[in-house]
């Protein structure tokens, strides 16, 4: 142990291999799969000659984290500033006698069932769930978040074409009291700009669409509700059918409207957002 710098258990394994196979048993590594060569000391230190722990300390001292990545997407919309101010204006100062709705679809929500039943939470142990699952179909949730009070109007449908979108608009038209203008914040998905949707808007003059800039889903308030729905109800849910999934979503929306709905508050300065976007483009165009 002292001469080789190895642990007691390692020396014991050497003794057992020597007793079973003699010197030949010590000339190969029993714990390494056959055909996998041991990395030579020369190769380990050929780059800088430093241990991995030393390299990590150097990275830490200089504030470097090469193992971490941050994803980003800068909007190339030429009307970015104009659309940003328009949408933020609706959040900060909604028009009088009007309803402001943030609208989007959460498509292809899967009804996942586990292959075996899990165990419930108990003292000293968290709940369990199998890593594999069975797919029992999908649904698409159309949702509209009322910016003024935080309530959500939702409707589950099998697909998310312009036909389903118009059906959802008709539901909102029925739910919103007559005499109120309806301002809708939504993304640039082709369904929202379909010719039949535009014709529907002509027949319903109290409606106005406000499109967010491209690649700017963070500007759509309903995305926060979708994130909460995924985190609290869908991520670890067990659904035996699409009907079970849709019922769970509807219960979540109803509970949200009763206990958690509150006005949406926008806090970021649009000028700061525009400046950050400009810095991003400058960083991308500057020499590395």
């Amino acid at each position: 142990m002292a001469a080789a710098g190895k642990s007691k258990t390692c020396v014991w394994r050497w003794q057992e291999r020597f007793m079973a196979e003699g010197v030949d048993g010590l000339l190969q590594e029993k714990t390494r799969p056959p055909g996998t060569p041991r990395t030579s000391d020369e190769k380990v230190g050929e780059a800088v000659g430093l241990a991995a722990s030393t390299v990590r300390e150097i990275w830490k001292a200089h504030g470097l984290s090469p193992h971490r990545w941050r994803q980003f997407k800068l909007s190339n919309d030429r009307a970015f500033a104009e659309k940003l101010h328009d949408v933020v204006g609706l959040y900060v100062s909604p028009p009088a006698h009007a309803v402001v709705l943030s609208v989007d679809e959460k498509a292809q929500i899967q009804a996942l069932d586990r292959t075996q039943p899990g165990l419930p939470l108990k003292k000293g142990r968290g709940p369990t769930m199998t890593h594999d699952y069975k797919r029992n179909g999908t649904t698409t949730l159309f949702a509209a978040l009322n910016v003024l009070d935080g309530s959500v109007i939702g409707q589950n449908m099998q697909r998310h074409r312009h036909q389903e979108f118009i059906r959802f608009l008709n539901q909102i038209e029925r739910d919103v009291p007559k005499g109120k203008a309806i301002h809708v914040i939504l993304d640039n998905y082709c369904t929202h700009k379909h010719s039949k949707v535009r014709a529907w808007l002509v027949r319903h003059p109290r409606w106005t669409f406000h499109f967010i800039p491209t690649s700017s889903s963070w500007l759509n308030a309903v995305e926060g509700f979708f994130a909460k729905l995924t985190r609290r109800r869908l991520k670890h849910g067990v659904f035996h059918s699409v009907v079970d999934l849709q019922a769970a979503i509807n219960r979540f929306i109803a509970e949200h409207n009763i206990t958690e709905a509150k006005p949406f508050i926008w806090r970021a300065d649009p000028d700061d957002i525009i400046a950050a976007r400009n810095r991003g483009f400058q960083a991308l165009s500057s020499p590395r």
Side-chain angles (χ1 to χ4, degrees):
M1 287 172 55
K6 299 295 182 180
S7 66
K8 184 184 296 184
T9 55
C10 181
V11 174
W12 286 346
R13 287 196 296 269
W14 288 350
Q15 291 176 339
E16 292 173 357
R17 283 156 57 186
F18 178 76
M19 292 171 61
E21 305 177 33
V23 175
D24 292 338
L26 300 175
L27 299 180
Q28 54 183 333
E29 297 184 69
K30 290 292 184 181
T31 58
R32 187 176 298 277
T36 304
R38 179 182 181 277
T39 305
S40 64
D41 294 336
E42 292 77 9
K43 185 174 182 180
V44 170
E46 66 181 2
V48 292
L50 298 176
S53 58
T54 304
V55 174
R56 287 194 295 268
E57 291 176 359
I58 295 173
W59 286 346
K60 183 177 180 181
H62 290 80
L64 301 175
S65 300
H67 61 290
R68 294 181 178 176
W69 291 85
R70 293 179 58 189
Q71 295 182 333
F72 76 98
K73 178 68 174 181
L74 296 177
S75 173
N76 290 314
D77 198 318
R78 294 182 178 180
F80 178 85
E82 178 184 349
K83 293 179 180 179
L84 175 66
H85 280 286
D86 178 41
V87 172
V88 172
L90 291 173
Y91 288 150
V92 175
S93 182
H97 309 294
V99 174
V100 179
L101 302 175
S102 170
V103 173
D104 202 1
E105 307 92 15
K106 186 172 179 62
Q108 299 295 308
I109 306 174
Q110 297 191 74
L112 300 181
D113 187 9
R114 301 293 157 174
T115 57
Q116 297 174 355
L119 298 176
L121 174 70
K122 64 177 293 185
K123 183 178 180 180
R125 187 198 68 199
T128 65
M129 180 180 295
T130 61
H131 70 278
D132 54 348
Y133 48 81
K134 296 182 292 185
R135 293 185 175 92
N136 293 322
T138 63
T139 190
T140 292
L141 172 64
F142 287 77
L145 173 72
N146 189 327
V147 173
L148 301 179
D149 60 15
S151 62
V152 172
I153 300 173
Q155 188 174 6
N156 291 288
M157 301 189 196
Q158 289 185 336
R159 304 174 69 176
H160 58 292
R161 305 167 300 172
H162 72 274
Q163 294 95 323
E164 287 77 20
F165 183 53
I166 291 176
R167 285 171 53 194
F168 183 56
L169 296 180
N170 286 328
Q171 177 185 338
I172 298 175
E173 173 70 15
R174 292 189 298 267
D175 291 347
V176 175
K178 302 296 183 182
K180 283 185 174 293
I182 302 176
H183 293 267
V184 178
I185 298 168
L186 69 174
D187 63 22
N188 296 270
Y189 184 50
C190 60
T191 294
H192 303 157
K193 298 182 177 182
H194 194 277
S195 59
K196 291 188 178 180
V197 174
R198 295 198 299 267
W200 187 94
L201 289 174
V202 172
R203 298 194 302 271
H204 298 80
R206 69 168 176 157
W207 286 69
T208 304
F209 279 9
H210 303 260
F211 293 100
I212 64 175
T214 58
S215 304
S216 302
S217 59
W218 46 266
L219 189 55
N220 206 351
V222 74
E223 295 295 339
F225 173 78
F226 285 154
K228 183 168 67 173
L229 169 66
T230 301
R231 183 175 63 254
R232 296 188 184 180
R233 190 62 191 91
L234 302 179
K235 186 176 181 180
H236 300 296
V238 176
F239 309 105
H240 304 297
S241 66
V242 173
V243 174
D244 286 347
L245 172 62
Q246 293 175 340
I249 293 174
N250 292 335
R251 286 195 302 271
F252 186 88
I253 293 175
E255 292 169 1
H256 165 85
N257 290 339
I258 294 173
T259 63
E260 296 189 30
K262 58 184 179 181
F264 176 75
I265 305 298
W266 179 269
R267 303 185 185 279
D269 188 331
D271 291 332
D272 292 341
I273 296 174
I274 294 171
R277 173 177 176 264
N278 293 337
R279 289 194 300 270
F281 280 117
Q282 291 174 0
L284 291 177
S285 61
S286 62
R288 299 296 190 268

